Amino acid sequence: MQKLGLTGQSKQPHTSDDQLKGISAVLMDGDEIFIDNNAIHAKSRVEVGIRFVGSLEEVPHPRRIVGLWVSLKRFENGMGFNGVQAIEMWIDSEAQLGYKKLADHVNAMDKAVKGKADLSLLSSEQVEKFAAFLRGLRPDLWENASPAFREAFSAA
């Protein structure tokens, strides 16, 4: 299993201002929840080998994969969750086709980095599952989370 980006150090420097060092991707594919930081570069395990098309109608049997961009920040009490944004993509693995709004993914990533929290794309059940996953992963990060982060999860 991959880990959350906790150190604030990047092994592969970005051409931008290095704000992506503290962001991670958590994906839910059916009942499975996992960290896949390759999603930052659109190369998560669900995306590899998939040709993305211009509309959902072009994907024969799409399954919805939901995800979170999760950012971390060092607070007075230590490292904690800061921003969180929901994303979605639709994949047909057999047809090797998928659909996602890339601009929405990029904008959501930027908002998460800036500490904004929005889980409105998710059902309350999905929010609860993601919350349980994150709490179990690193309880200290959950305890030190920003108020906006906690509010996004409690609204479900």
Side-chain angles (χ1 to χ4, degrees), residues 46-61:
V46 298
E47 295 170 285
V48 171
I50 300 297
R51 183 173 61 89
F52 285 91
V53 293
S55 73
L56 183 55
E57 291 75 32
E58 296 176 64
V59 182
H61 303 287

Side-chain angles (χ1 to χ4, degrees), residues 70-84 111-112 114-118 140-154:
V70 180
S71 68
L72 302 168
K73 182 178 177 182
R74 185 164 304 281
F75 296 103
E76 189 175 300
N77 294 333
M79 189 70 80
F81 293 120
N82 187 37
V84 60
K111 288 176 183 177
K114 292 177 179 173
K116 297 183 185 329
D118 181 5
D140 60 315
L141 296 175
W142 186 267
E143 290 302 316
N144 292 332
S146 72
F149 185 92
R150 288 172 157 288
E151 178 64 28
F153 280 93
S154 68

Side-chain angles (χ1 to χ4, degrees), residues 32-155:
E32 184 184 12
I33 300 176
F34 53 95
I35 297 169
D36 192 336
N37 290 324
N38 292 325
I40 294 168
H41 300 287
K43 294 182 180 182
S44 68
R45 72 181 194 204
V46 298
E47 295 170 285
V48 171
I50 300 297
R51 183 173 61 89
F52 285 91
V53 293
S55 73
L56 183 55
E57 291 75 32
E58 296 176 64
V59 182
H61 303 287
R63 76 178 189 277
R64 183 175 183 242
I65 297 170
V66 296
L68 301 176
W69 296 123
V70 180
S71 68
L72 302 168
K73 182 178 177 182
R74 185 164 304 281
F75 296 103
E76 189 175 300
N77 294 333
M79 189 70 80
F81 293 120
N82 187 37
V84 60
Q85 294 286 315
I87 56 172
E88 65 182 353
M89 63 183 106
W90 301 86
I91 304 285
D92 181 338
S93 299
E94 190 173 310
Q96 296 183 316
L97 293 173
Y99 173 74
K100 65 180 177 180
K101 294 180 182 174
L102 185 58
D104 289 353
H105 282 229
V106 172
N107 290 334
M109 188 186 301
D110 182 58
K111 288 176 183 177
V113 166
K114 292 177 179 173
K116 297 183 185 329
D118 181 5
L119 300 177
S120 60
L121 287 177
L122 307 182
S123 70
S124 55
E125 180 184 344
Q126 289 169 322
V127 171
E128 289 173 22
K129 286 182 179 181
F130 275 124
F133 178 81
L134 293 173
R135 275 194 304 267
L137 187 67
R138 286 281 306 270
D140 60 315
L141 296 175
W142 186 267
E143 290 302 316
N144 292 332
S146 72
F149 185 92
R150 288 172 157 288
E151 178 64 28
F153 280 93
S154 68

